[in-house]
Amino acid sequence: MAKSVLITGAGSGFGRDAALELMANGQSVIAAVHHAEQIPELKSAASARGGTLRVEKLDLLSEADRQAAAGWDIDVLVNNAAIGEGGPISEIPLDLVRRVFEVNVFGTLALTQGVVRRMAERGHGRVIFVSSIAGLTAGSYLGAYAASKHALEGIAESMSNELAPHGVQVATLNPGPYGTGFNDEMVRSRDRWYDPARNFTRPQDMARLDERFATQYDPADLVKAMVDMVTADSGRYRNVHPQESEDLVRQRQRDAWTRTQPQPGDRGTG
């Protein structure tokens, strides 16, 4: 049976490709984009694949947009929209951190609260939070993004327990580094404010942010996982992809229990 699926952040990346794949799969998709200017292109892409796609403008920070979405009949909500900021959490301007939290945490939660009310009233539904491996382990120079995804993990786990008695399922999808362009944009975002003449973070340490995304995976793998989660009747709560990233997260979480602090005066490599 076809499901009604709302995917946020469908103007690009995972959201765009998953919306088109789900459309081709026979699902009833509402592809939510941040800018109205993205609507014609996405509809054209759907038409080129022989289908039609309902595309709606949905800015997570717009109360009017969120209220409109709360009135839609939705079986599966895929919270995919997110933004990122790169740079040392010790120095990144706080207004940028707040913006990341407004979108990734507060905007996402506000939308979800409106949608799950109707799911709970019907006694069924599913919410998928597209988190990140950064929601499970935090690397250097990605602190703002990782903190927002850690917060999202807490929301998702609490919501999973709270909505279970109402017949509503909650799951998380945690991608590793995939080549959608999102990570590259997050790396470049530091250039708006970082100045080695003013900031104490050393350029050679900051270069680790570039190295982190030197190798990225094919997004098609993650899109397939997203489609599978949407169309399945049930599944695991946590879903980390690819396997290499799951292995990395498990290792880092084990290491956190035994990791020691650097010696005073050890400047290391950051």
Side-chain angles (χ1 to χ4, degrees):
M1 182 180 297
K3 299 177 181 178
S4 176
V5 185
L6 171 60
I7 303 180
T8 66
S12 61
F14 298 139
R16 180 184 187 278
D17 291 348
L20 293 171
E21 286 295 325
L22 285 164
M23 176 201 71
N25 185 271
Q27 307 303 314
S28 177
V29 182
I30 305 175
V33 299
H34 182 68
H35 300 291
E37 293 78 9
Q38 296 172 304
I39 295 176
E41 189 282 328
L42 189 50
K43 285 189 173 182
S44 177
S47 178
R49 297 187 59 166
T52 57
L53 195 60
R54 177 180 172 184
V55 186
E56 299 281 355
K57 183 257 183 185
L58 200 170
D59 180 349
L60 289 180
L61 302 187
S62 167
E63 184 176 357
D65 287 0
R66 296 195 306 264
Q67 287 182 347
W72 301 335
D73 279 325
I74 300 167
D75 297 313
V76 183
L77 169 62
V78 183
N79 282 314
N80 170 72
I83 62 172
E85 291 285 346
I89 195 64
S90 304
E91 298 196 86
I92 188 172
L94 284 182
D95 62 319
L96 298 180
V97 180
R98 289 192 180 97
R99 180 171 176 268
V100 169
F101 269 74
E102 286 294 340
V103 175
N104 295 2
V105 181
F106 299 116
T108 297
L109 177 58
L111 173 68
T112 305
Q113 286 180 337
V115 172
V116 297
R117 173 177 290 275
R118 297 191 67 175
M119 290 182 177
E121 291 171 352
R122 294 196 309 264
H124 68 85
R126 195 168 204 205
V127 179
I128 300 171
F129 288 93
V130 180
S131 178
S132 167
I133 60 169
L136 303 173
T137 180
S140 303
Y141 311 110
L142 292 174
Y145 180 69
S148 73
K149 291 300 188 177
H150 272 68
L152 198 65
E153 290 285 335
I155 289 170
E157 188 164 359
S158 293
M159 192 174 287
S160 175
N161 295 327
E162 295 166 359
L163 292 181
H166 300 280
V168 179
Q169 302 174 357
V170 176
T172 65
L173 177 58
N174 300 74
Y178 284 93
T180 63
F182 180 89
N183 296 319
D184 306 278
E185 185 175 342
M186 184 159 54
V187 169
R188 290 192 297 268
S189 69
R190 62 169 182 212
D191 297 334
R192 292 178 296 165
W193 61 270
Y194 173 70
D195 180 358
R198 180 171 55 86
N199 297 104
F200 65 78
T201 301
R202 301 175 300 186
Q204 63 267 35
D205 295 337
M206 186 73 89
R208 296 178 62 195
L209 182 56
D210 301 87
E211 297 168 359
R212 187 177 303 278
F213 300 116
T215 300
Q216 300 187 61
Y217 299 102
D218 183 353
D221 169 68
L222 198 283
V223 170
K224 181 180 183 305
M226 189 182 292
V227 170
D228 289 345
M229 289 179 68
V230 169
T231 55
D233 291 328
S234 64
R236 296 184 303 177
Y237 167 75
R238 175 165 293 152
N239 304 267
V240 181
H241 294 271
Q243 184 62 49
E244 293 89 338
S245 291
E246 179 177 337
D247 296 340
L248 175 65
V249 167
R250 291 180 181 274
Q251 183 61 52
R252 285 185 175 177
Q253 290 179 336
R254 287 192 296 267
D255 291 346
W257 291 94
T258 58
R259 186 175 64 233
T260 58
Q261 298 299 299
Q263 295 296 315
D266 180 10
R267 291 177 63 85
T269 59

